[in-house]
């Protein structure tokens, strides 16, 4: 214990001395390092689809999908510039694939999701099976699975297809756990017919000798048609949560867990006139609007959202959702990470 | 697909335009974002205890434990300056508590471990129970448990006590999941006698109605005496791994899992003359030498270590340990995080 | 250790003496108590539906469903007479409900499954939701859930409905764990529309705040239409196991586990001409033929099976299945019990 | 539905007819098959050690340990005569091994526990490691592990050793899951020094690459000394449950689960003057008194117990324990089976 007051100069000299040895005084930064509550550098933000769609299409003029490997515009959180991060842990981007193009096959330990925003005719291939992408479909390419994309329509007959990519790139960068490799050929061979995974795993049945492993779902397309029907039925049955509306989470049917170990995904329905109550949670969430219009109050900002808009709610910011028309929102977050580490905290305000 | 070559100016203009909208082209950074293998910014480093001990003791002249809340010198990785990080995910510091001092009671969602480096007479209190700290003891203060420290000896009769603090501060900062609060009084009341947790949970028995929850161990002191004895016995029984020597991990006796959800801890013995083979792993590890001298080759650096030195091995760097004398090493890493998220990868070279 | 031979009379006297004290010499029965391999008292057996259908219908003349509570003919294994057991652990019965009848509401800790054999128009209600029963549907009434059945058609317009009941009655009798109680009224009130459970849990999605508990599936009707389609698709995709044909197990979509903690259920397809290889397993299995004709060799017996026949394979008996026509078999067994206790053993012969 | 009353003769004829086809009417037995609450055939019972000790020792005159394979007097529940069962699921026996004897090596899928009642100098060997047996020690020989016993002292220098064997023989017989085989030699080779398992697994640490498998504990001796000390400490710390006194359960330190998948084991302390409240549970329990005297009220019977007595409490019978002197009770039950199948029910009366 010091005998008396220590003057500022002495402290400065001391701090400079220990800095040479790669040391620093905790007491000068304790309150920042162990904060009262989260104060994320991530900011609430929205990308209006009408403002970015032309840019996405213009990228098709700049570079080919194959040259780009993935022709994507990254959505960067305004609070995290230059970090390819839409939240601290998550990445989001809008990917374009034009008729006749392919995005070559590779694999990486980053988990990826695709949420289809517009266009028809493209496919994603995962470990030998292709699935057709339709707007509103939620598709996964789990960690370390070979995957490629293609839009096989003739250039004059097909449509540009745009989807939202969600990955855990910032998380794996932080954890120094990223590995990647390219497939020897641009397109991996097809070894199973389309629908094979769905047949095996989507009927509340599993192959009798199947053992879940790795934590990712064995089905990789969750079609919008089914998700939308589930929400509709529940709403007709009177389900309506004052915070969430009608909200379902996608699951790995072999475990009941999240489809991938690092990202949770949700689809929710807000009926016209819904004024949700305020909640907050330590997971940060990226929303992609499928249908309808409404408002999202996040922290001290208010956003008007419409179809295909993308917005982001940082950790522990108060969030309040409302709907002017019947609205359907897809969302993804780092909830499985928070939950696995015992860190998830939620608050629902009355 | 572009009709022809796109000139650099056009690209630059395009990039500037989308940057206004918080977007960036993935294809310019894909290889960095999805690397072939981890290339951590964290560097191999060592803090020789003989070089830092005086600084730690000098901090006792600058500020009192109570004023500092925690009087700690943070060990900052040379590759991560100003971040209070010894690895990307982990924090390390050397804490000093002098006779007659207390470090006041608080709690936070950050998990903490204490590994006692020198001195006798201090205690850590966790949720109403105090445990005496002895060199080599491994003590935990799990997430959101009230904890304080004290060195109750009279100023003239006691010893300064120094320990290594290991926390997941950078991880929780990245996850925006940190909460903290102070206890109303500097010292929490003692509600259970010392040894109560050990009596309940340390005999390969559990209280009959105990249900594990939260993921952290119900015992909070793992005494060196027992850990050392276990290593000795195994070595005498002929156990010796060519990479690890004799290596045990600390467990939560109620689950067999790690003592806390975010940090693994280990104690290993390297007999004199041991030349370990090379391994690498995606978890990054902080070592604290308990006894003995040896060498650690980490990446392209070679360190000579002796008692109480601290060194760090980043993710995926090749590590090779050797012992000139019988040596005992404590270590901690973010392995539970990597494992829970399906990201842990190891390589043991033949 | 005995000094010399002990004569038989001395042993007999000794045995009689200890028997008075409720003791017996292990060495006289060790080989039976700890056998080389299972030698079940349960026998292979078949119930040809054409032989028993008239008896089932005749029960409708003897007693009403309401008076009987459950109007069921128990199928008793010939090796276990008087025990209401089709295997050591499992019960099977054929239940009849006539137009206009109800089977009153009750609950019990015994888990029950219903596999619909013939007839249309009846329902099962579980915890406030009714589901319509169609041939081939697999329906569960989990442990301690209120359930009742009804056939609401007018007596002149409806059909008798017959289903196979599968319960764990012998297991719970053995474990002394059976509890039961009646609902205050014959029919429980309907509180949720038909299809509600399916909407919530059958789309590879779960309600966002649902927590699985108790181990039983939250969906209670697994319609034949979906199961049959899954088998068809897999067969068209080339799936064919040399022992099983195409075989799926029903799962709890919230966990990937069995629908109930004590009984596994399966549906399998054997194409015309299939000659399965021999397998054996420590779980004993009850088969109910849905479609097609074939043969089952079980131990040293050979059975010809056709639609709606029921047959049983005891533990560890060699089983070989063949199909003369495309055949679909439903089956249930005590596999979850064997697996949970670390006792499941299987052998697939080449 | 019957048109009118059906006479008894018609029913009898019908029942006789269906009996030929191995069928029986459920409605005649429904209340027995689905009872309101358990009504076990197992009865409360006590074996006073003073009454049976001479019989156990006399068995040493009748047959050698090696000839007997296991020289054991089975304790048969008076309600389950001829079934080698002390409860519906569990077996108990008193085994004697004399100086100079061995009980030859074999393995079986039945799990076994040994609770040492009297004598010193014998050992149990499990998978290559021997452990010395001392009174009060709890030792396991998990399913399918090679095990043998010996009393290596010279005949004139050693003591007879007697222990309580607890096995799941009736459970495995019921499940038709028993397999067994003999080791090629009477005594298996010793491959690890005594204490090796304890060193590896008993210090709240585990070998760093150990993966738990099979569900049984990797330590096989839980010495009385440690268990007794744990109870003493907790009692001194003020722990006293009104139903249980101070009660701990033995655990697998690698999982926190029960030491074996089919049997739970407990040690409890009742201070002199303790009058426990009444509880009941669906697991049935066998008690072995280590020290002290007291009373056990089980159902409508009252037993006075003293050191080394063995008594049994059937499923769902009210149980009330009291102590005249400080008493320590070991017990085992089928609780893991009940719990794994979702069947465990308990009641603690106020």
């Amino acid at each position: 214990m010091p005998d008396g007051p220590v003057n500022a100069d002495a402290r400065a000299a001391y701090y400079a001395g220990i800095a040479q040895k790669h040391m620093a005084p905790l007491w000068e930064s304790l309150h920042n390092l162990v904060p009262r509550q989260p104060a994320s550098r991530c900011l609430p933000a929205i990308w209006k689809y009408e403002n970015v769609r032309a840019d996405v299409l213009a990228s098709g003029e700049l570079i080919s999908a194959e040259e780009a490997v993935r022709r994507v515009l990254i959505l960067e959180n305004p609070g995290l510039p230059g970090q390819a991060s839409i939240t601290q842990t998550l990445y989001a981007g809008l990917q374009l694939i034009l008729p006749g193009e392919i995005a070559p096959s590779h694999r990486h330990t980053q988990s990826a999701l695709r949420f289809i925003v517009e266009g028809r005719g493209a496919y994603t291939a995962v470990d030998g099976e292709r699935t057709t992408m339709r707007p509103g479909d939620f598709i996964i390419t789990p960690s370390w699975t070979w995957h490629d994309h293609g839009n096989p329509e003739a250039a004059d007959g097909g449509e540009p297809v745009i989807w939202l990519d969600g990955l855990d790139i910032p998380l794996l960068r932080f954890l120094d756990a990223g590995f990647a490799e390219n497939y020897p050929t641009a397109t991996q061979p097809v070894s199973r017919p389309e629908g094979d995974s769905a047949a095996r795993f989507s009927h509340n049945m599993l192959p009798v000798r199947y053992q879940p492993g790795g934590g990712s779902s064995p089905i990789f397309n969750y079609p919008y048609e089914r998700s939308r029907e589930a929400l509709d039925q529940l709403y007709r049955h009177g389900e309506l949560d004052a915070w969430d509306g009608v909200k379902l989470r996608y699951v790995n049917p072999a475990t009941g867990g999240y489809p991938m170990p690092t990202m949770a995904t949700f689809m929710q329905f807000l009926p016209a006139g819904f004024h949700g109550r305020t909640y907050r949670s330590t997971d940060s969430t990226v929303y992609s609007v499928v249908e309808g219009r409404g408002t999202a109050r996040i922290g001290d900002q208010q956003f008007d959202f419409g179809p295909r808009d993308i917005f982001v709610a940082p950790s522990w910011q108060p969030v309040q959702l409302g709907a002017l028309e019947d609205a359907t929102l897809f969302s993804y977050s780092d909830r499985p990470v928070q939950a696995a580490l015992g860190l998830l905290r939620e608050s629902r305000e009355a």
Side-chain angles (χ1 to χ4, degrees), chain A residues 10-308:
Chain A
R11 288 201 179 184
Y14 176 80
Y15 296 170
I18 62 174
Q20 297 298 316
K21 301 173 181 176
H22 304 294
M23 299 194 293
L26 174 63
W27 55 88
E28 297 288 347
S29 59
L30 180 62
H31 291 298
N32 288 329
L33 293 177
V34 185
R36 296 252 142 202
Q37 63 174 51
S40 186
R41 295 159 56 213
C42 174
L43 299 175
I46 191 167
W47 288 260
K48 301 291 294 178
Y49 196 67
E50 64 203 24
N51 292 344
V52 301
R53 184 174 187 269
D55 297 312
V56 173
L57 289 172
S59 72
E61 304 296 320
L62 279 185
I63 192 167
S64 74
E66 190 155 4
E67 188 193 348
V69 182
R70 296 295 184 267
R71 188 174 50 215
V72 180
L73 296 193
I74 305 168
L75 308 184
E76 285 203 328
N77 192 282
L80 304 164
Q83 298 185 37
S85 301
I86 193 164
T87 74
Q88 291 259 80
T89 56
L90 298 174
Y91 160 105
L94 285 167
Q95 182 159 174
L96 169 69
I97 192 157
L98 297 171
E101 287 192 325
I102 57 169
S105 196
H106 64 185
R107 64 178 180 178
H108 40 69
T109 53
Q110 288 83 0
S111 295
L113 67 87
R114 326 292 171 181
F115 186 72
I116 315 311
V117 174
E118 70 164 294
R120 289 170 185 275
Y123 67 82
T124 285
V126 178
D127 279 352
E129 182 179 341
R130 288 184 178 178
T131 192
T132 301
M133 301 163 95
R134 295 180 185 85
D137 288 358
F138 159 56
I139 290 172
I140 65 172
T141 60
S143 180
W144 212 238
T145 52
W146 293 113
H147 58 279
D148 50 77
H149 313 284
N151 188 338
E153 295 298 321
D156 56 350
E159 302 175 2
V161 176
I162 298 173
W163 65 80
L164 175 67
D165 279 323
L167 286 93
D168 54 10
I169 285 174
L171 176 68
L172 267 76
R173 180 174 55 201
F174 178 73
L175 295 176
D176 284 325
F179 295 84
E181 60 186 31
N182 292 325
Y183 199 80
T185 53
T187 304
Q188 64 179 307
V190 170
S191 59
R192 297 183 296 158
E194 175 152 10
D196 189 70
S197 302
R200 280 173 207 281
F201 299 103
S202 259
H203 293 81
N204 299 322
M205 304 183 87
L206 294 178
V208 71
R209 296 184 189 285
Y210 173 78
Q211 296 291 339
S216 291
S217 174
I219 54 173
F220 61 100
N221 191 341
Y222 295 78
Y224 185 53
E225 186 180 27
R226 287 186 69 180
S227 309
R228 192 68 178 85
E229 180 193 333
L231 291 173
D232 280 353
Q233 278 187 272
L234 289 180
Y235 180 62
R236 287 197 309 268
H237 295 177
E239 178 91 359
L240 196 68
D241 180 82
W243 291 266
D244 294 331
V246 186
K247 189 170 184 181
L248 296 171
R249 68 175 176 90
Y250 294 90
V251 299
N252 175 343
T255 64
Y258 295 104
M260 296 183 291
T262 52
M263 292 186 284
T265 46
F266 307 92
M267 184 76 88
Q268 76 196 101
F269 174 76
L270 311 177
F274 180 78
H275 291 286
R277 293 186 190 160
T278 299
Y279 65 88
R280 47 173 82 198
S281 173
T282 52
D283 58 331
S284 50
T285 304
V286 180
Y287 292 86
S288 175
V289 183
V290 194
E291 305 177 38
R293 296 183 176 279
T295 56
R297 180 155 192 90
I298 303 173
D300 55 5
Q301 297 203 43
Q302 169 120 359
F303 301 120
D304 296 323
F305 66 74
R308 299 172 180 170

